[in-house]
Amino acid sequence: MSELVPGGNTPLPGGAVTIRVPGPFDVSALITDDGGRVRGDADFVFYNQPSAPGARLSGDTLTVDPPRLRPGASRVTVVVSPADPATPLGRLPAPALQVTAPDGRLLARFAPPPPRQETVLLLAEIYRRGTGWKLRALGQGYADGLAGVARDFGVDVTDEGTGPATAPAATAPAARTPAARGTAAPPASLSSDRRGVPSSDQDRFLALVNSARERAGSPPVSLDARLAGAAHAHASAMAAAGRLGAEGRDGVFVHQRISATGYTYLTVGEHLVSGPRTSGEFVDYCLRTEQARQTLHDPAFTHVGPAHAVGGGDTYWTVLWARPLTPADLARTAAEVVGLTNRERARAGLRPLATDPRLSTAAQAYSTDMAVRAFYSHTSPEGTQPWDRAAAAGARHRSVGENIACGQRSPAEVVDGWMNSPGHRANILKPDFTHIGVGFAGGGPAGTYWTQLFGG
């Protein structure tokens, strides 16, 4: 059985698999071809239309038999939304996906990070790879409901929560976006870039953004050529695929595109949006939408890179926000994680952990390795375990433990997540541990990778 993280995947056996999402959620599915678009309304499986060739929905369980999908289908995207549309996802427990083989074996589980402002989650996708099929965990949030998701896949809906209409897909420029998130890099001069946003429009974009930030009391941001280059690459990938997403058709995630430019960041944010045709329309959209507005106003960001590309009659935007990672920032971030960890130990009546530079070296190297090589596991691709890495760095502790995490955007968020997980909490509160090392790196499919290495 595989415990998946965002971006993780696992092969599927032959035959029908069942996907269950228990809890107060509505489950739906979108059946698409290689271009990421539905062929017609029948490709949208939901509570009012519970079946399609190769897919059937019954309550909280979706059954998918990939060989029986309609001709040309190569992907099934599993979507969850609140059963009560008036209840935000953030007030519900995080949806947990369970995948079962035809013989009843549990194949995989996936619990995404708890939603915040999102109203819908793309939870997972079943996709063809060569002659077989695989399951990939997504956990991608959308801020504008099931109707926005359906439209981005080519289904026209008359109202959120209703069945698909028979009209062709909408082409209006209204923005449809996954919830924005966050990362950083040093400034560089920008010349005209005909591939992304021309320099004249970049100047207008920057003026509009900094005017909005000034009104919110946030410092101005500067344009960064590397962020703009990464944004252009991702906007072009989305336009070519005809769909929004953190991963392009080339299998590269948006944060990996940032890392490829040589930009290392402490904190990052992104807007992935379709619809706006100009910088003015894009900024107007952000100011109308709570999560997008928070990212635009976030005082932590110092640089921005905007780009858009046209595909299938729609305009796809990628705007990247970041703050560069300095050695002082890295030390301060690690110290904050240690401080929050020791606060939890103090609450439990335990002695504080002392920072061990050898454990810190091992933890930092492992976070960087996970980000660069795009894996997430306590076991490295070479098979090394936490105690192996601690010993290789020169640590000589009798007992060693490790917590890892990915996707969290701050020390407070990652420590809170660990404390809400029984196994991670046990490491933080283990009386026998006396020392700690912390690592942080940006990049990879998840955007951020964290490591706590304990010794005692």
Side-chain angles (χ1 to χ4, degrees), residues 381-425:
E382 292 75 30
T384 65
Q385 300 291 336
W387 40 90
D388 300 319
R389 296 187 287 273
R396 293 294 180 263
H397 297 281
R398 288 179 296 178
S399 61
V400 171
E402 181 180 79
N403 286 344
I404 58 175
C406 64
Q408 295 82 3
R409 302 303 172 105
S410 70
E413 185 179 348
V414 73
V415 174
D416 183 64
W418 281 326
M419 288 299 295
N420 284 307
S421 167
H424 299 95
R425 179 187 178 93

Short mmCIF file of all heavy atoms in Angstrom, two decimals, residues 381-425:
data_model
loop_
_atom_site.label_atom_id
_atom_site.label_comp_id
_atom_site.label_asym_id
_atom_site.label_seq_id
_atom_site.Cartn_x
_atom_site.Cartn_y
_atom_site.Cartn_z
N PRO A 381 16.65 7.54 -2.71
CA PRO A 381 16.70 6.64 -3.87
C PRO A 381 17.82 5.59 -3.77
O PRO A 381 17.72 4.52 -4.36
CB PRO A 381 16.93 7.58 -5.05
CG PRO A 381 16.31 8.87 -4.62
CD PRO A 381 16.59 8.96 -3.14
N GLU A 382 18.89 5.91 -3.03
CA GLU A 382 19.98 4.94 -2.85
C GLU A 382 19.72 3.98 -1.70
O GLU A 382 20.52 3.07 -1.45
CB GLU A 382 21.30 5.67 -2.59
CG GLU A 382 21.83 6.45 -3.78
CD GLU A 382 21.06 7.74 -4.03
OE1 GLU A 382 20.55 8.32 -3.04
OE2 GLU A 382 20.97 8.15 -5.19
N GLY A 383 18.63 4.19 -0.96
CA GLY A 383 18.29 3.29 0.14
C GLY A 383 18.77 3.73 1.50
O GLY A 383 18.59 2.99 2.48
N THR A 384 19.37 4.92 1.62
CA THR A 384 19.83 5.37 2.94
C THR A 384 18.66 5.76 3.82
O THR A 384 17.62 6.23 3.35
CB THR A 384 20.80 6.56 2.82
OG1 THR A 384 20.11 7.68 2.28
CG2 THR A 384 21.98 6.21 1.94
N GLN A 385 18.83 5.58 5.13
CA GLN A 385 17.82 5.89 6.13
C GLN A 385 18.30 7.09 6.97
O GLN A 385 19.47 7.49 6.88
CB GLN A 385 17.60 4.68 7.03
CG GLN A 385 17.12 3.44 6.30
CD GLN A 385 15.71 3.59 5.76
OE1 GLN A 385 14.92 4.38 6.27
NE2 GLN A 385 15.38 2.83 4.72
N PRO A 386 17.44 7.67 7.81
CA PRO A 386 17.84 8.85 8.61
C PRO A 386 19.12 8.63 9.41
O PRO A 386 19.98 9.52 9.47
CB PRO A 386 16.64 9.08 9.51
CG PRO A 386 15.47 8.55 8.73
CD PRO A 386 16.01 7.37 7.99
N TRP A 387 19.25 7.44 10.05
CA TRP A 387 20.44 7.20 10.87
C TRP A 387 21.70 7.09 10.01
O TRP A 387 22.78 7.47 10.46
CB TRP A 387 20.25 5.94 11.71
CG TRP A 387 19.57 4.82 11.00
CD1 TRP A 387 20.15 3.82 10.28
CD2 TRP A 387 18.16 4.61 10.92
NE1 TRP A 387 19.21 2.99 9.76
CE2 TRP A 387 17.97 3.45 10.14
CE3 TRP A 387 17.04 5.27 11.44
CZ2 TRP A 387 16.70 2.93 9.86
CZ3 TRP A 387 15.78 4.77 11.16
CH2 TRP A 387 15.61 3.61 10.38
N ASP A 388 21.55 6.62 8.78
CA ASP A 388 22.69 6.59 7.87
C ASP A 388 23.17 8.00 7.55
O ASP A 388 24.38 8.29 7.55
CB ASP A 388 22.34 5.87 6.58
CG ASP A 388 21.89 4.43 6.79
OD1 ASP A 388 22.52 3.74 7.62
OD2 ASP A 388 20.92 4.01 6.13
N ARG A 389 22.20 8.89 7.29
CA ARG A 389 22.57 10.26 6.92
C ARG A 389 23.16 11.01 8.11
O ARG A 389 24.08 11.82 7.95
CB ARG A 389 21.33 10.97 6.36
CG ARG A 389 20.82 10.34 5.07
CD ARG A 389 19.72 11.14 4.43
NE ARG A 389 18.45 11.05 5.13
CZ ARG A 389 17.54 10.11 4.91
NH1 ARG A 389 17.79 9.13 4.03
NH2 ARG A 389 16.38 10.09 5.55
N ALA A 390 22.62 10.75 9.30
CA ALA A 390 23.18 11.39 10.50
C ALA A 390 24.61 10.94 10.73
O ALA A 390 25.51 11.75 11.00
CB ALA A 390 22.30 11.07 11.72
N ALA A 391 24.86 9.63 10.61
CA ALA A 391 26.21 9.10 10.83
C ALA A 391 27.18 9.63 9.78
O ALA A 391 28.34 9.96 10.08
CB ALA A 391 26.18 7.58 10.79
N ALA A 392 26.72 9.74 8.52
CA ALA A 392 27.59 10.23 7.45
C ALA A 392 28.01 11.68 7.69
O ALA A 392 29.09 12.10 7.25
CB ALA A 392 26.89 10.11 6.10
N ALA A 393 27.15 12.44 8.39
CA ALA A 393 27.47 13.84 8.71
C ALA A 393 28.34 13.95 9.96
O ALA A 393 28.70 15.06 10.35
CB ALA A 393 26.19 14.64 8.88
N GLY A 394 28.63 12.83 10.61
CA GLY A 394 29.49 12.85 11.79
C GLY A 394 28.75 12.82 13.11
O GLY A 394 29.39 12.89 14.17
N ALA A 395 27.41 12.73 13.10
CA ALA A 395 26.65 12.67 14.35
C ALA A 395 26.81 11.30 14.99
O ALA A 395 26.85 10.28 14.28
CB ALA A 395 25.18 12.96 14.08
N ARG A 396 26.89 11.27 16.29
CA ARG A 396 27.12 10.00 17.00
C ARG A 396 26.07 9.79 18.08
O ARG A 396 26.37 9.55 19.25
CB ARG A 396 28.52 10.01 17.63
CG ARG A 396 29.65 10.00 16.62
CD ARG A 396 29.67 8.70 15.83
NE ARG A 396 30.75 8.68 14.84
CZ ARG A 396 30.60 8.99 13.57
NH1 ARG A 396 29.39 9.37 13.13
NH2 ARG A 396 31.60 8.94 12.72
N HIS A 397 24.82 9.89 17.71
CA HIS A 397 23.72 9.69 18.66
C HIS A 397 23.28 8.22 18.67
O HIS A 397 23.31 7.55 17.63
CB HIS A 397 22.54 10.59 18.29
CG HIS A 397 22.86 12.05 18.38
ND1 HIS A 397 22.90 12.73 19.57
CD2 HIS A 397 23.19 12.96 17.42
CE1 HIS A 397 23.21 14.00 19.35
NE2 HIS A 397 23.39 14.17 18.05
N ARG A 398 22.88 7.75 19.83
CA ARG A 398 22.45 6.36 19.96
C ARG A 398 21.11 6.12 19.30
O ARG A 398 20.84 5.03 18.80
CB ARG A 398 22.40 5.97 21.43
CG ARG A 398 23.76 5.81 22.09
CD ARG A 398 23.64 5.46 23.55
NE ARG A 398 23.00 6.53 24.31
CZ ARG A 398 22.73 6.48 25.61
NH1 ARG A 398 23.03 5.38 26.29
NH2 ARG A 398 22.18 7.50 26.22
N SER A 399 20.23 7.14 19.33
CA SER A 399 18.93 7.00 18.67
C SER A 399 18.72 8.20 17.76
O SER A 399 19.13 9.33 18.08
CB SER A 399 17.80 6.92 19.71
OG SER A 399 17.74 8.09 20.50
N VAL A 400 18.10 7.94 16.62
CA VAL A 400 17.87 8.98 15.61
C VAL A 400 16.44 8.87 15.11
O VAL A 400 15.91 7.76 14.92
CB VAL A 400 18.86 8.83 14.42
CG1 VAL A 400 18.48 9.75 13.26
CG2 VAL A 400 20.28 9.10 14.87
N GLY A 401 15.78 10.01 14.92
CA GLY A 401 14.44 10.06 14.35
C GLY A 401 14.36 11.16 13.32
O GLY A 401 15.18 12.09 13.31
N GLU A 402 13.38 11.09 12.45
CA GLU A 402 13.25 12.08 11.38
C GLU A 402 11.79 12.40 11.10
O GLU A 402 10.94 11.52 11.05
CB GLU A 402 13.90 11.54 10.10
CG GLU A 402 13.85 12.51 8.92
CD GLU A 402 14.50 11.94 7.68
OE1 GLU A 402 13.84 11.11 7.01
OE2 GLU A 402 15.67 12.30 7.39
N ASN A 403 11.50 13.69 10.95
CA ASN A 403 10.22 14.16 10.41
C ASN A 403 10.51 14.85 9.09
O ASN A 403 11.47 15.64 9.00
CB ASN A 403 9.55 15.17 11.35
CG ASN A 403 8.94 14.52 12.57
OD1 ASN A 403 8.75 13.31 12.61
ND2 ASN A 403 8.64 15.32 13.58
N ILE A 404 9.70 14.59 8.06
CA ILE A 404 9.79 15.33 6.82
C ILE A 404 8.40 15.85 6.46
O ILE A 404 7.39 15.35 6.94
CB ILE A 404 10.37 14.49 5.66
CG1 ILE A 404 9.52 13.24 5.41
CG2 ILE A 404 11.82 14.12 5.93
CD1 ILE A 404 9.98 12.43 4.19
N ALA A 405 8.37 16.88 5.63
CA ALA A 405 7.11 17.47 5.18
C ALA A 405 7.37 18.18 3.88
O ALA A 405 8.51 18.56 3.57
CB ALA A 405 6.55 18.43 6.23
N CYS A 406 6.32 18.39 3.09
CA CYS A 406 6.48 19.14 1.85
C CYS A 406 5.23 19.97 1.60
O CYS A 406 4.12 19.57 1.97
CB CYS A 406 6.76 18.22 0.66
SG CYS A 406 5.43 17.08 0.24
N GLY A 407 5.42 21.13 1.00
CA GLY A 407 4.31 21.99 0.61
C GLY A 407 3.99 23.10 1.58
O GLY A 407 3.33 24.07 1.21
N GLN A 408 4.41 22.99 2.84
CA GLN A 408 4.11 24.03 3.83
C GLN A 408 4.94 25.27 3.55
O GLN A 408 6.09 25.19 3.15
CB GLN A 408 4.37 23.52 5.25
CG GLN A 408 3.45 22.38 5.68
CD GLN A 408 3.91 21.03 5.18
OE1 GLN A 408 4.95 20.92 4.55
NE2 GLN A 408 3.12 20.00 5.46
N ARG A 409 4.37 26.46 3.81
CA ARG A 409 5.00 27.70 3.40
C ARG A 409 5.63 28.50 4.54
O ARG A 409 6.14 29.59 4.31
CB ARG A 409 3.98 28.57 2.66
CG ARG A 409 3.37 27.89 1.43
CD ARG A 409 4.46 27.46 0.44
NE ARG A 409 3.94 26.66 -0.64
CZ ARG A 409 3.76 27.10 -1.88
NH1 ARG A 409 4.03 28.33 -2.19
NH2 ARG A 409 3.29 26.29 -2.79
N SER A 410 5.62 27.98 5.76
CA SER A 410 6.22 28.72 6.87
C SER A 410 6.59 27.75 7.99
O SER A 410 6.03 26.64 8.07
CB SER A 410 5.24 29.76 7.42
OG SER A 410 4.16 29.13 8.08
N PRO A 411 7.52 28.15 8.89
CA PRO A 411 7.84 27.31 10.04
C PRO A 411 6.60 26.99 10.89
O PRO A 411 6.44 25.85 11.35
CB PRO A 411 8.87 28.14 10.81
CG PRO A 411 9.56 28.94 9.76
CD PRO A 411 8.46 29.30 8.79
N ALA A 412 5.75 27.97 11.10
CA ALA A 412 4.55 27.74 11.92
C ALA A 412 3.66 26.70 11.28
O ALA A 412 3.11 25.82 11.96
CB ALA A 412 3.80 29.06 12.12
N GLU A 413 3.50 26.78 9.95
CA GLU A 413 2.62 25.83 9.26
C GLU A 413 3.17 24.42 9.32
O GLU A 413 2.43 23.46 9.53
CB GLU A 413 2.43 26.27 7.80
CG GLU A 413 1.43 25.41 7.04
CD GLU A 413 1.24 25.88 5.61
OE1 GLU A 413 1.69 26.99 5.27
OE2 GLU A 413 0.62 25.12 4.82
N VAL A 414 4.49 24.27 9.14
CA VAL A 414 5.03 22.92 9.11
C VAL A 414 5.03 22.30 10.51
O VAL A 414 4.70 21.12 10.67
CB VAL A 414 6.44 22.90 8.48
CG1 VAL A 414 7.51 23.50 9.39
CG2 VAL A 414 6.82 21.48 8.09
N VAL A 415 5.37 23.06 11.55
CA VAL A 415 5.35 22.50 12.90
C VAL A 415 3.92 22.17 13.32
O VAL A 415 3.67 21.13 13.96
CB VAL A 415 6.02 23.46 13.91
CG1 VAL A 415 5.87 22.95 15.34
CG2 VAL A 415 7.51 23.61 13.57
N ASP A 416 2.98 23.01 12.96
CA ASP A 416 1.57 22.72 13.27
C ASP A 416 1.14 21.43 12.59
O ASP A 416 0.44 20.60 13.19
CB ASP A 416 0.70 23.89 12.81
CG ASP A 416 -0.77 23.68 13.16
OD1 ASP A 416 -1.09 23.62 14.37
OD2 ASP A 416 -1.59 23.58 12.24
N GLY A 417 1.56 21.22 11.34
CA GLY A 417 1.21 19.99 10.65
C GLY A 417 1.82 18.76 11.30
O GLY A 417 1.16 17.73 11.46
N TRP A 418 3.06 18.87 11.71
CA TRP A 418 3.69 17.74 12.40
C TRP A 418 3.00 17.43 13.72
O TRP A 418 2.80 16.27 14.07
CB TRP A 418 5.17 18.05 12.64
CG TRP A 418 6.05 17.84 11.45
CD1 TRP A 418 5.91 16.89 10.46
CD2 TRP A 418 7.23 18.59 11.11
NE1 TRP A 418 6.92 17.02 9.54
CE2 TRP A 418 7.75 18.03 9.92
CE3 TRP A 418 7.89 19.66 11.71
CZ2 TRP A 418 8.91 18.54 9.31
CZ3 TRP A 418 9.04 20.15 11.12
CH2 TRP A 418 9.55 19.60 9.92
N MET A 419 2.61 18.47 14.45
CA MET A 419 1.96 18.25 15.74
C MET A 419 0.57 17.64 15.59
O MET A 419 0.04 17.04 16.52
CB MET A 419 1.89 19.56 16.53
CG MET A 419 3.23 20.02 17.07
SD MET A 419 3.98 18.83 18.22
CE MET A 419 2.79 18.87 19.57
N ASN A 420 -0.03 17.78 14.42
CA ASN A 420 -1.35 17.20 14.18
C ASN A 420 -1.27 15.81 13.55
O ASN A 420 -2.28 15.25 13.15
CB ASN A 420 -2.18 18.13 13.28
CG ASN A 420 -2.72 19.32 14.05
OD1 ASN A 420 -3.36 19.17 15.08
ND2 ASN A 420 -2.44 20.51 13.56
N SER A 421 -0.06 15.26 13.48
CA SER A 421 0.14 13.91 12.95
C SER A 421 0.75 13.06 14.06
O SER A 421 1.82 13.40 14.60
CB SER A 421 1.10 13.95 11.75
OG SER A 421 1.54 12.66 11.41
N PRO A 422 0.10 11.96 14.47
CA PRO A 422 0.57 11.21 15.64
C PRO A 422 2.03 10.78 15.57
O PRO A 422 2.78 10.92 16.54
CB PRO A 422 -0.37 9.99 15.66
CG PRO A 422 -1.62 10.48 15.00
CD PRO A 422 -1.17 11.43 13.94
N GLY A 423 2.49 10.26 14.42
CA GLY A 423 3.87 9.80 14.33
C GLY A 423 4.87 10.93 14.42
O GLY A 423 5.89 10.82 15.11
N HIS A 424 4.60 12.05 13.75
CA HIS A 424 5.50 13.19 13.80
C HIS A 424 5.49 13.83 15.20
O HIS A 424 6.54 14.23 15.72
CB HIS A 424 5.10 14.23 12.75
CG HIS A 424 5.16 13.71 11.35
ND1 HIS A 424 4.06 13.20 10.70
CD2 HIS A 424 6.18 13.64 10.47
CE1 HIS A 424 4.41 12.83 9.48
NE2 HIS A 424 5.69 13.07 9.30
N ARG A 425 4.31 13.90 15.78
CA ARG A 425 4.19 14.47 17.13
C ARG A 425 5.01 13.64 18.13
O ARG A 425 5.66 14.20 19.03
CB ARG A 425 2.72 14.48 17.53
CG ARG A 425 2.45 15.03 18.93
CD ARG A 425 0.97 14.83 19.29
NE ARG A 425 0.70 15.29 20.63
CZ ARG A 425 0.27 16.51 20.94
NH1 ARG A 425 0.07 17.39 19.96
NH2 ARG A 425 0.05 16.86 22.18
#
